[in-house]
Amino acid sequence: MTAPRRLIEADDEFERDLIRSAHGDRPSQRALERLLSGLGGQLSKLPSSAPGVATGGKIGGVVLAKWLLAGVAVGLATIGGAEATGRALEHRGRHAAEGPIPFVRTSPSLATSSDRVSVAAPHEDALSLAQDAPSALVPGAPLRGAASPVPRAAAAPTPLASSAIEFAPPIATSPSPSATSPGRPALGSFALPAVEAPPTTLAQEMRLLDAARRALASGAPQSALATLTTYERAFQNGVLRPEASVLKVRALLAAGDRAAAAALGQQVIEQAPNSEHAVAVRAVLGLRSNP
Amino acid sequence: MSAQAALSKAARLGAAEELDPHVRLAALAREHFSFIWRSLRRLGVTEPAVDDAAQQVFEVASRRLFDLQVGREKAFLFKTAILIATEARRVAARARSEAGGPELESIRDPAPGPEESALMRERRLLLDQALAALGLDERTVFVLYEIEELSLTEIAELVGIPRGTVASRLRRARESFHSEVKRLRARREFPRRSP
C-alpha cells in the first residue's frame, strides 16, 4: 500500500494554498511559557507519595513550581535581552518586561458559568481509543480544584462510550483576565504550599541561575559571570545547564567580551540547533536563524 | 542533563519512574506543545480558545503522568486533544446557537499580526471551513497526513488504528475535502447573485 501524494504536492493550487496556510498557524512563545507556568502549579499538587515519585520525590511540589517558574523567568530574561534583534523577539521582550506571566484563562468561547463541565465522550464519531486513552481517567475526578491523588490504579481502561471526563471547573468565566474563581487555585498563581520543601539539587541550581539573572538585570555582568562559574563548577550535568549557557552568553556580551560570547553561543547552537536555547542565543548574538 | 536528555534516558531505561515528574512534564510540554496546539486548531478549536485547550491537554497529562507509558506520550496527548477539541467545539456551537450569530472566531479574531497577511488568514479560514465538513475520524487522519505530514504508519500508531483504516479514512476525507473546497470556492468566486 503506497501512500498517496499529499495535497501540498498535488496539482490543485488552490488546495495547496489552503494546506500551506495551516503551516503558519502556530502557538506563540508566550503560550508555551504560560503552559509551563501553569503546569508548575499542577505539579505542585501532586502528592509526594505518589508512585513514581520515588526519584522525583526528591523534589517537592514547591520546588517543582519554582523550577518551572525559574525556567520561564530565565527564558524571559533571555528573550528580553534579545529585544532589539528581531521583530518576533520584540514581541517576547515586551512580555518579559511585564514581569512573571500569570496563567489565566483567556478563551471566552470555552467559558461556562457552571463549576463543572462534563466532557462527553465522543461515540460513533469518535476514534477508537485504546488502552492509553485519556478517558481512562477516573470519571468524575476533578481535573482542577482540590488536589486529588494521582490515580495510578486508574490505568485500567474505561470504555470510552460509557465514560465521561469531568473537568472541574473548566475555565474562568470572568471577563477580567486576572480574575480567578473563588474556591479554586489559579494554576499559575504559584500559591505555594505552607510547608517549604527542603532544598534540593534542582532548587540550588535554580537559585544560582536566578541570582545570576538578577545580577545581570541590575547591570552587574561580572557578578553574574561569577555566579554562573559557581553554577558550572557545582552542576556539571545540571538540568538547567542550557539555560545557564544562554545566560552566560548574555552576561559575556554585557561584560564586553563578544568573542567569548560568540564562542559559547556557537557551542549552544551546535549542541541543539533547533532548540529554544539556540534561538535565544542567535537572537542575543544577532545571528541569522537557520534557513 | 537537559530535560530532553533526561527523557531520552528514561526512554532507554523504559521506565517513567526514572524521571523526575517536573522534568518529564516540562520536556513533554516543550516537545509536543506546538503539535498539540496546531492539532487542536485544525480539529476545530477556535483561535481565542486554543491556548486554554492546549493547557487542558497537558493538565490531563500531568494528572496521568505516572501512568503514562514512556514512548506513548504523544499518542496520549493527541487523544486527549481530540476529546478536548470535541468538547470545545460543542461549547462553541452552543454559544453560537444561543447568540444566534456568526462563528465566534469570525467576530473575535484579532487583526492579522505583522507577520501574517490577510490573504493567509482568509485561506486558513477557508481551510477550517472545509475541514469542518469532515467527520472527526476523517478530519483527524486528514490533518495528520496532509498538514502534519505524518506517514500512514505514524498515524496508525498515534491514533491506534490499523494502517489500512488510516488509508481508507484518508481517502474518504479527501473526497469530502475536495467537494467542500469546490463548494467554498464557488461561493467565494460568485458570492451572491444579484436579484
Side-chain angles (χ1 to χ4, degrees), chain A residues 38-140:
Chain A
L39 291 179
Q42 281 297 103
L43 279 173
S44 70
K45 295 182 208 161
L46 294 183
S48 57
S49 58
V53 190
T55 55
K58 291 182 292 187
I59 301 160
V62 175
V63 176
L64 303 184
K66 282 184 176 177
W67 178 78
L68 286 169
L69 183 60
V72 170
V74 169
L76 286 174
T78 304
I79 289 158
E83 198 164 14
T85 60
R87 190 167 40 175
L89 289 162
E90 274 176 25
H91 174 69
R92 295 190 213 164
R94 203 164 49 242
H95 292 309
E98 292 165 2
I101 298 172
F103 172 72
V104 289
R105 291 288 178 201
T106 55
S107 66
S109 62
L110 275 177
T112 73
S113 58
S114 60
D115 285 335
R116 301 169 78 85
V117 164
S118 174
V119 176
H123 26 86
E124 74 277 358
D125 199 25
L127 292 163
S128 54
L129 301 185
Q131 54 166 4
D132 53 356
S135 59
L137 283 165
V138 177

Side-chain angles (χ1 to χ4, degrees), chain A residues 246-287:
Chain A
V246 178
L247 259 180
K248 191 168 182 181
V249 170
R250 290 186 56 224
L252 286 167
L253 265 186
D257 192 349
R258 182 165 184 89
L264 178 59
Q266 200 54 43
Q267 282 178 29
V268 172
I269 292 168
E270 282 169 7
Q271 277 169 8
N274 298 315
S275 67
E276 294 166 32
H277 306 104
V279 171
V281 163
R282 282 193 197 97
V284 167
L285 293 175
L287 302 176

Side-chain angles (χ1 to χ4, degrees), chain A residues 1-8 12 14-15 17-28 31-32 34-39 42-43 45-47 50-53 55-59 64 67-68 71-72 87-88 103-112 117-122 124-137 142-155 160 165 167 170-171 187 202 236-243 276-277, chain B residues 1-3 16-23 25-26 29-30 33-35 37-38 41-42 45-56 58-60 62-67 69 72 75-76 78-84 86-92 94-95 104 108 114-116 120-128 130 135-138 140-142 144-152 159-161 163-164 167 169-170 174 177-179 181-182 184-185 188-189:
Chain A
M1 191 190 335
T2 53
R5 193 159 65 136
R6 295 180 205 276
L7 294 183
I8 202 158
D12 188 323
F14 187 76
E15 287 190 354
D17 287 342
L18 291 189
I19 298 290
R20 200 172 288 131
S21 73
H23 293 162
D25 202 13
R26 60 174 79 92
S28 65
L32 175 60
R34 256 204 319 258
L35 171 69
L36 291 171
S37 172
L39 291 179
Q42 281 297 103
L43 279 173
K45 295 182 208 161
L46 294 183
V53 190
T55 55
K58 291 182 292 187
I59 301 160
L64 303 184
W67 178 78
L68 286 169
V72 170
R87 190 167 40 175
F103 172 72
V104 289
R105 291 288 178 201
T106 55
S107 66
S109 62
L110 275 177
T112 73
V117 164
S118 174
V119 176
E124 74 277 358
D125 199 25
L127 292 163
S128 54
L129 301 185
Q131 54 166 4
D132 53 356
S135 59
L137 283 165
L143 179 61
R144 294 188 206 107
S148 62
V150 175
R152 187 179 182 83
L160 182 62
I165 306 169
F167 297 87
I171 292 148
L187 285 177
L202 200 52
Q236 292 187 5
N237 295 308
V239 169
L240 301 177
R241 190 85 183 188
E243 282 79 4
E276 294 166 32
H277 306 104
Chain B
M1 186 188 308
S2 71
E17 287 79 3
E18 292 296 322
L19 275 179
D20 286 329
H22 67 294
V23 172
L25 193 58
R30 286 199 163 114
F33 176 65
S34 195
F35 167 70
W37 191 98
R38 292 193 310 267
R41 282 289 287 133
R42 299 286 86 76
V45 179
T46 59
E47 189 168 326
V50 67
D51 284 0
D52 285 351
Q55 175 97 16
Q56 280 189 310
F58 285 92
E59 283 168 11
V60 172
S62 76
R63 291 279 175 191
R64 297 294 310 275
L65 202 57
F66 303 113
D67 296 328
Q69 197 184 335
R72 296 289 302 155
F76 179 90
F78 185 72
K79 288 170 184 173
T80 306
I82 291 174
L83 291 178
I84 301 275
T86 303
E87 168 61 9
R89 288 166 57 188
R90 190 181 66 77
V91 170
R94 193 177 60 200
L104 282 175
R108 288 202 173 111
E115 296 172 14
E116 182 174 52
M120 191 63 82
R121 205 165 183 80
E122 186 196 347
R123 284 174 180 162
R124 200 178 299 148
L125 198 61
L126 284 172
L127 171 69
D128 287 339
L136 179 62
D137 288 353
E138 284 75 28
T140 301
V141 168
F142 184 91
L144 292 175
Y145 187 79
E146 300 292 359
I147 298 174
E148 293 298 325
E149 299 187 15
L150 301 186
S151 69
L152 297 179
V159 178
I161 54 176
R163 192 174 181 273
R169 285 183 185 176
L170 179 62
R174 283 178 147 198
F177 184 79
H178 289 319
S179 23
V181 166
K182 200 179 287 182
L184 289 169
R185 204 171 173 177
R188 184 165 166 262
E189 288 169 5

